[in-house]
Amino acid sequence: MGERQERLFEPTFNRSIKLRQADSRITSDAGTLLLREIDHRLGLTADLAEELSDSRDPKHVRYTQTELLRQYLYALALGHSHQDDQDTLAHDVAMKLSVWDRPGRQVVDERLASQSSHWRLLNRMSSRPHRRAINESLATSVSRHQQASGRGRKVVSGTLDIDPFPIGLHGQQEGGAYHGHYHRKMYYPIAASFSAEGSYESTRLGDGFVHAILRRGNAGGAEGMVRFARETIRKARPLATHLDVRIDAGLVEGKVLDAINDEGVAFTGRIKKNPVLNRLAEPYLSRSPGRPTKDGDEFAIDIGQYRAASWTRGYRLVLVIVDMPDPKTGMRRLFPRYFFLITNSREDRRNAAAILEHYRKRGTFEDRLGEFNGVIGGSLPASSFAANEADLLLKLLAFNMTAIIRGELEDSSGSGWDLKRVQQTVLKAGARVVEHSRRIFVDVAKAVGVLWGILLDHIGRWWRDKTWGLARPRPKAWVPPPSHAHLHLVLRE
């Protein structure tokens, strides 16, 4: 390598061990190469960048919009959610190999963009046309993975899960406000996710987030939901021949249900109990004496049409009774638990039991919202509301890219993978870069080599549209790093 190895320390428990500062050709983020291969085959970042204008002076542009987006998205996918992480990743050899569009071996010795460059990127992305383009790319990422895995075909039936979720704030961000239900200062965005055949587990043919908007922290649960539902359905129509929507109780309002119904799309939602509904449930709550079954009893009963006072139309009501035994005594509880589902599905197409089974599959979607918050999108630190919405959309796109890897792993292994496990096991991979015979060899740790082999075998069989990623960056003169930029990593004190 020809580089001096600086000794860090000698452990007292074993004097034979000598710890040295890592060689600049060693990386712990080799998974960026896997992300770039997927990105390249689907043409996601290249085509997104083509939709974005760039107001910078070309004479002083060192990093193209495509390269900046790649670096930002790949860092998020690997769990580097803090802006300051970009200063370190600018010198990571795997990140450099994955991000640069320049051919040849010189990419190993280049440095990438710093934190300040990415902060300016977010500010540029905050314009309304740019945010709309990023939002459209969410559905594009799901669609292209679906087509790639399905030999160019879309699925017959697909389900859209829509729900708001909190993102906690710790500063003075524009639009941040205290929410009485969550008892915290936050944003309250809405996100919509697509799943083939209504399940995130039985099939992994192109699922992921397709639409999202950022809302102020004290927004009502269904605020903006009519427009959001219509936009989500528009974006999702190319994904499946038949669509349906699942929503939680906070979004069930007459105007929301009417908007979905007017689009010719079926819906199922949980509706909050009220005195009228409680009276409708009373005749079905009596039980015969005796002990309940070991696993409890569950019933789904069609009640008929229901129309709340504020609604303009009535829809089918399903009562769900859950009679579980007391965990200590094994006896029946005094009163069974029950709740209601509202739907516009006809009974001859989906009976009450099928409605309940279908609705309960949305639990995985709620888990994924938790994964997004915990693994990728846990903070929105910009002061501007528009910049934070752009950041949210980019984080959802990074989530979709990581979910593609998760889906292919689950298909090949037959077991479930959570996003954190994908990051830590597949993407956070150790590797060493070696130059030999005018080639760059990346020696990946054997522990992940088997998984990578399975993934690359699946990816190699993908169908590909020739128009994906057709846009290529225009050749430009090399611009040296600014005088204040460090060519080698400088650790902060």
Side-chain angles (χ1 to χ4, degrees):
M1 302 295 179
E3 296 187 8
R4 185 169 61 91
Q5 302 290 322
E6 296 182 10
R7 181 174 297 184
L8 292 179
F9 76 98
E10 181 181 276
T12 57
F13 64 86
N14 188 340
R15 297 292 184 180
S16 298
I17 300 174
K18 315 295 181 185
L19 272 72
R20 300 184 298 183
Q21 186 170 312
D23 191 307
S24 62
R25 303 294 176 90
I26 296 175
T27 179
S28 61
D29 290 329
T32 52
L33 294 163
L34 196 58
L35 287 166
R36 175 64 190 274
E37 180 65 16
I38 290 171
D39 187 11
H40 178 74
R41 285 180 177 270
L42 300 181
L44 299 176
T45 308
D47 287 346
L48 171 58
E50 191 70 11
E51 297 295 319
L52 305 174
S53 61
D54 192 347
S55 58
R56 298 175 296 169
D57 184 351
K59 296 179 181 179
H60 299 97
V61 169
R62 173 169 168 79
Y63 312 105
T64 66
Q65 202 102 279
T66 309
E67 291 163 346
L68 288 171
L69 283 170
R70 281 197 199 114
Q71 185 179 347
Y72 196 71
L73 289 170
Y74 298 171
L76 289 171
L78 268 74
H80 298 288
S81 58
H82 298 288
Q83 284 279 333
D84 289 347
D85 293 339
Q86 297 293 351
D87 286 330
T88 303
L89 294 173
H91 304 279
D92 184 272
V93 65
M95 187 67 76
K96 290 189 285 186
L97 292 175
S98 304
V99 166
W100 278 115
D101 273 317
R102 297 172 190 172
R105 295 177 296 161
Q106 67 268 28
V107 295
V108 175
D109 300 316
E110 290 283 0
R111 64 154 286 157
L112 296 178
S114 63
Q115 179 268 344
S116 56
S117 295
H118 287 280
W119 196 257
R120 290 190 291 271
L121 172 70
L122 274 185
N123 288 330
R124 290 197 303 276
M125 295 300 101
S126 64
S127 70
R128 187 177 296 276
H130 284 174
R131 282 181 285 150
R132 183 170 182 82
I134 300 170
N135 214 330
E136 291 290 335
S137 71
L138 293 176
T140 299
S141 67
V142 175
S143 174
R144 291 188 179 180
H145 180 217
Q146 181 188 107
Q147 293 179 65
S149 299
R151 298 293 177 184
R153 299 185 298 271
K154 65 181 181 181
V155 299
V156 175
S157 64
T159 298
L160 293 167
D161 289 294
I162 304 176
D163 217 5
F165 65 100
I167 295 181
L169 301 178
H170 302 283
Q172 299 301 317
Q173 291 94 326
E174 180 184 5
Y178 182 82
H179 195 287
H181 176 74
Y182 291 97
H183 304 292
R184 60 191 299 192
K185 186 179 180 181
M186 53 179 252
Y187 282 132
Y188 200 31
I190 307 181
S193 178
F194 175 86
S195 62
E197 300 176 10
S199 173
Y200 295 88
E201 298 171 350
S202 62
T203 178
R204 287 100 183 182
L205 188 60
D207 60 62
F209 291 103
V210 295
H211 187 45
I213 59 171
L214 188 64
R215 302 186 303 175
R216 67 185 191 279
N218 56 359
E223 186 174 322
M225 180 59 189
V226 171
R227 182 178 178 181
F228 184 88
R230 288 173 176 158
E231 184 70 7
T232 301
I233 292 169
R234 177 194 68 79
K235 294 173 69 174
R237 286 198 188 277
L239 300 178
T241 305
H242 303 288
L243 282 174
D244 71 273
V245 175
R246 293 184 295 217
I247 55 178
D248 204 4
L251 302 179
V252 174
E253 291 186 359
K255 58 184 180 181
V256 175
L257 302 183
D258 291 348
I260 299 172
N261 187 69
D262 289 344
E263 294 289 335
V265 173
F267 63 79
T268 303
R270 184 165 176 167
I271 184 171
K272 295 177 181 177
K273 288 189 284 189
N274 59 51
V276 174
L277 291 175
N278 291 337
R279 286 196 297 271
L280 291 174
E282 282 179 5
Y284 304 94
L285 299 181
S286 60
R287 297 165 291 173
S288 15
R291 299 173 66 92
T293 60
K294 181 180 179 181
D295 297 324
D297 299 313
E298 184 175 83
F299 309 95
I301 305 164
D302 267 299
I303 300 298
Q305 292 287 304
Y306 171 75
R307 175 181 168 183
S310 60
W311 297 6
T312 59
R313 307 174 201 170
Y315 294 103
R316 178 182 166 201
L317 186 68
V318 174
L319 168 65
V320 179
I321 301 174
V322 183
D323 195 4
M324 301 299 294
D326 187 280
K328 293 183 179 180
T329 65
M331 301 298 292
R332 291 189 188 275
R333 296 180 183 273
L334 185 58
F335 299 105
R337 185 171 65 90
Y338 65 95
F339 59 91
F340 294 91
L341 298 176
I342 195 80
T343 182
N344 62 346
S345 293
R346 289 183 359 210
E347 189 174 357
D348 58 345
R349 292 188 176 180
R350 189 172 277 169
N351 62 27
I355 290 288
L356 174 60
E357 181 183 2
H358 179 66
Y359 183 77
R360 282 199 161 151
K361 290 178 181 177
R362 80 183 298 274
T364 307
F365 165 65
E366 294 173 342
D367 291 341
R368 295 201 170 181
L369 286 177
E371 279 187 328
F372 172 76
N373 256 347
V375 179
I376 290 181
S379 64
L380 295 174
S383 58
S384 161
F385 183 87
N388 279 324
E389 183 171 57
D391 196 12
L392 170 67
L393 295 172
L394 288 171
K395 287 176 176 178
L396 288 169
L397 182 57
F399 183 98
N400 281 1
M401 294 174 70
T402 314
I404 291 173
I405 296 177
R406 186 229 303 265
E408 297 294 336
L409 278 172
E410 290 180 333
D411 270 346
S412 61
S413 65
S415 60
W417 286 69
D418 62 67
L419 205 67
K420 191 70 174 179
R421 185 184 175 199
V422 172
Q423 282 184 346
Q424 298 298 327
T425 307
V426 180
L427 298 181
K428 301 289 290 182
R432 178 178 57 191
V433 175
V434 179
E435 294 182 69
H436 180 67
S437 301
R438 297 186 177 182
R439 295 290 185 269
I440 298 174
F441 293 88
V442 180
D443 299 327
V444 182
K446 186 172 288 187
V448 298
V450 175
L451 288 173
W452 276 38
I454 294 171
L455 276 170
L456 292 170
D457 180 60
H458 274 234
I459 295 168
R461 296 198 298 268
W462 277 358
W463 176 86
R464 191 173 190 274
D465 190 315
K466 293 181 180 179
T467 63
W468 293 351
L470 191 62
R472 293 287 185 269
R474 298 176 180 86
K476 61 183 182 65
W478 181 78
V479 177
S483 58
H484 62 271
H486 297 287
L487 296 182
H488 300 284
L489 177 62
V490 175
L491 297 178
R492 297 181 179 180
E493 300 261 333

